[in-house]
Amino acid sequence: MGRSSITSRAALTALGIAFTLAVPLHGSAAGADSADHMPLGPAELITQASAPQTLAPGVTYQKFTQGHSTDEWTVWVPGTNGAETISDWAAARARADALVAKGFEAHIDTFDVPAAADTASGRVGYGVRSGRFAPGDRAGADALKVRLADAGFGGRVLYTAEDGRPSTGPWEVRVVRVQPTADVALKAVHGQDVAGAETVRAMAKAAGALVAVNGSEFNLGGGAYEGIPQGLYVQENVILGAANNGRTALLLDGVGGRARVAEINTTLAVTAPNEDKQTVDGINRVPGTVLGCGGVGGDTRMVGNLVVETTLPWRNVRCADADETVIFRPEWGPATPSHGSGVDSIDVVMNGNWVVQSVREPAGGPIPPGGRVLQGIGKDAVWLREHAVVGAPFKPGATIHDAAGRSVVTPALSAVAGGGPALVRGGEVWINTAANGMTQFDGKPNNTLLQRHPRTVAGVAGSGELILVTIDGRYEGVSVGATWPEAAEVMKWLGAQDAVGLGSGGDTTLIINDTLYNRPMDMWGTTHRERPLSNAVAVVPR
């Protein structure tokens, strides 16, 4: 990232602040040439590694630390429209001039995004900052934020490691390796139900897991249905969440070995007693709301003031679809969701053989033990009403396939969608941000690749070894986190042939033998806590 100090031209001489143009961002990860240096920060930093700990035959744990604090605390002042990142240089300069006019120091950082495998490089915009405070002096930045607010400026206290500028850390990286010969099962697990959220520790304990890390990103802040996973979720060959089609996922005990990373699509349908066929939009989610988009047709999202139809995935975006059919299984929870009076909705209640037992209108009610419920809204409610016959069966159909159209289904398949993009392919850094919905709607890059956060990453070595990694972050003096390119370099350094990011940020959690091994952080400057999540990747002794 480039940095410019800025003032109004008339005030330059009086304040003695030089005016310089913004400088492009340079990559902060060093090469992985040396075994004693993780590819994080300058090459002269030395990695400290703990002795490998054997958790079970074929399962080991090791911790790596590196670096020291040199970043700064500052206050990020948003533009006049409230957005932190300002797309126009002149607008950023005007905002900085306004700060200087009221006696505040101002500087501008430039955000240039490097190219990814499927996204061109580009400039995201500019950030206007005020104040520079040394590591350990957050109080100075907090006090400046108050003074800025009194002067009419909003602001957010920022530790500059967060925005992806070159950093010296420090970092804490924890690595669990599971050999393909280890006598364990690799599973995706959730809590009491799919709709609710629980901590990784609770999920691990219920599954009897030796090791567990956070899995999918999810409907954080979703109220009663907070635990809904964003995208693919499969547990022992049962689809519990449909894919945001084309996003990268971690497959466990599937085709091609114990673990695999691939871009995944799901196709779902039901056939009525009269042989009419209907596309199913999702499994175990609220009809009408598609978290992460990437549905099968009819999905729309807001782009500015426009409603745009799309079938592409968009990370953390909620697409809408007024006409949907969704399957609910008992794993969802005790009852299907209900809808407002303005929504035409219906529940077709079936037994485990998909034989219709009853029809509920409007939708919302118990899911029978071992049964299924087809819920329709809008035009799909009309179709179900016309085709549901009590005592007659629907026939389900489902496929899970990779980008080449090959089925990935096996009797023991578990899978979770990545929270991040693919990071490594064929042993080289390979990041597919566009395929994972991490761009602007017009395909231009956003700041996904710049932000430094806690990360959970899964990789597969050439031997078939599963590598589960957590990189702590948001903790000044302990661990600042990683950008996605940095996380990719770490996975390559660890020997991954393929890798994908899982949930990150405050989700990042590592549990070993019912003990929390890392420091999950929701925000900088807070106390670490175990966040309730959607699901987890678990290593379970047989």
Side-chain angles (χ1 to χ4, degrees):
M1 165 189 328
R3 167 163 288 182
S4 275
S5 291
I6 205 101
T7 72
S8 65
R9 302 257 181 187
L12 282 173
T13 303
L15 293 177
I17 300 175
F19 178 88
T20 61
L21 290 176
V23 181
L25 174 74
H26 297 284
S28 58
D33 299 326
S34 172
D36 60 359
H37 171 75
M38 284 189 296
L40 295 168
E44 63 267 19
L45 297 178
I46 302 300
T47 300
Q48 303 294 322
S50 69
Q53 175 186 352
T54 299
L55 305 176
V59 183
T60 61
Y61 163 79
Q62 192 171 20
K63 176 182 174 182
F64 300 88
T65 59
Q66 179 175 284
H68 56 275
S69 298
T70 55
D71 290 284
E72 301 170 332
W73 288 101
T74 187
V75 180
W76 191 331
V77 180
T80 54
N81 64 353
E84 285 192 339
T85 303
I86 300 172
S87 59
D88 179 71
W89 167 252
R93 187 173 65 186
R95 192 62 169 162
D97 287 346
L99 286 166
V100 171
K102 291 195 175 183
F104 296 100
E105 183 265 350
H107 49 274
I108 297 176
D109 288 333
T110 304
F111 300 106
D112 286 338
V113 179
D118 57 0
T119 311
S121 62
R123 178 157 295 176
V124 174
Y126 308 91
V128 178
R129 314 288 177 76
S130 184
R132 293 183 174 95
F133 301 88
D137 189 16
R138 174 166 183 163
D142 288 334
L144 175 59
K145 178 184 174 184
V146 173
R147 296 197 303 273
L148 285 163
D150 290 342
F153 296 98
R156 176 172 70 91
V157 173
L158 171 81
Y159 193 61
T160 53
E162 176 189 331
D163 62 21
R165 63 183 296 183
S167 178
T168 59
W171 291 276
E172 288 189 345
V173 178
R174 293 171 171 83
V175 181
V176 172
R177 296 179 180 270
V178 184
Q179 298 296 332
T181 55
D183 192 18
V184 297
L186 306 178
K187 296 183 177 183
V189 298
H190 61 270
Q192 293 186 7
D193 53 56
V194 170
E198 294 188 21
T199 64
V200 175
R201 189 198 301 262
M203 290 185 271
K205 189 171 184 178
L210 173 65
V211 175
V213 298
N214 53 295
S216 304
E217 289 188 322
F218 62 106
N219 191 32
L220 180 63
Y225 305 128
E226 184 172 71
I228 300 173
Q230 186 170 172
L232 183 70
Y233 176 38
V234 180
Q235 187 181 70
E236 296 182 346
N237 207 30
V238 175
I239 305 176
L240 298 179
N244 300 125
N245 284 322
R247 288 204 66 177
T248 309
L250 173 66
L251 309 179
L252 303 169
D253 283 338
V255 173
R258 296 293 303 277
R260 180 184 172 195
V261 173
E263 286 65 52
I264 296 297
N265 294 267
T266 51
T267 302
L268 310 168
V270 290
T271 303
N274 68 352
E275 298 302 318
D276 282 354
K277 196 171 186 178
Q278 173 79 336
T279 296
V280 172
D281 296 83
I283 298 178
N284 293 334
R285 65 165 174 80
V286 179
T289 302
V290 189
L291 179 62
C293 306
V296 294
D299 296 355
T300 62
R301 63 164 289 188
M302 295 298 299
V303 181
N305 295 322
L306 298 177
V307 178
V308 180
E309 187 165 335
T310 180
T311 58
L312 298 174
W314 298 101
R315 176 178 176 260
N316 291 340
V317 172
R318 285 174 170 80
C319 277
D321 189 345
D323 308 300
E324 286 203 314
T325 301
V326 172
I327 298 170
F328 289 92
R329 296 175 51 95
E331 292 91 342
W332 159 261
T336 61
S338 57
H339 300 267
S341 58
V343 177
D344 183 14
S345 64
I346 186 173
D347 277 348
V348 177
V349 183
M350 304 169 291
N351 63 20
N353 294 320
W354 294 73
V355 176
V356 177
Q357 306 296 294
S358 63
V359 174
R360 285 194 297 252
E361 297 187 62
I367 301 173
R372 311 285 185 271
V373 176
L374 282 171
Q375 183 172 108
I377 62 169
K379 295 177 182 178
D380 286 33
V382 174
W383 188 91
L384 285 172
R385 191 176 292 118
E386 292 174 348
H387 289 82
V389 178
V390 174
F394 280 88
K395 291 184 290 187
T399 65
I400 310 172
H401 51 279
D402 62 18
R406 297 181 294 252
S407 173
V408 299
V409 172
T410 65
L413 176 69
S414 284
V416 293
L423 300 175
V424 177
R425 189 64 47 87
E428 298 296 332
V429 171
W430 189 86
I431 304 175
N432 57 348
T433 49
N436 284 278
M438 298 177 178
T439 65
Q440 306 291 349
F441 189 75
D442 59 6
K444 294 179 181 178
N446 60 24
N447 62 357
T448 296
L449 294 184
L450 299 180
Q451 297 170 331
R452 191 175 279 119
H453 294 299
R455 302 294 185 190
T456 302
V457 184
V460 184
S463 64
E465 173 188 68
L466 174 65
I467 308 170
L468 298 174
V469 176
T470 60
I471 305 173
D472 273 351
R474 299 176 179 168
Y475 203 155
E476 178 197 1
V478 177
S479 191
V480 297
T483 65
W484 283 127
E486 288 172 341
E489 292 285 0
V490 169
M491 295 307 291
K492 177 182 175 181
W493 181 77
L494 290 170
Q497 285 293 301
D498 298 284
V500 61
L502 301 179
S504 55
D507 294 6
T508 291
T509 307
L510 171 61
I511 299 292
I512 299 176
N513 281 324
D514 198 35
T515 298
L516 177 66
Y517 266 54
N518 75 314
R519 299 178 177 89
M521 299 290 286
D522 284 336
M523 295 182 293
W524 286 87
T526 58
T527 302
H528 67 271
R529 73 178 186 101
E530 295 179 53
R531 176 189 284 178
L533 309 174
S534 173
N535 54 38
V537 174
V539 180
V540 182
R542 296 188 190 276

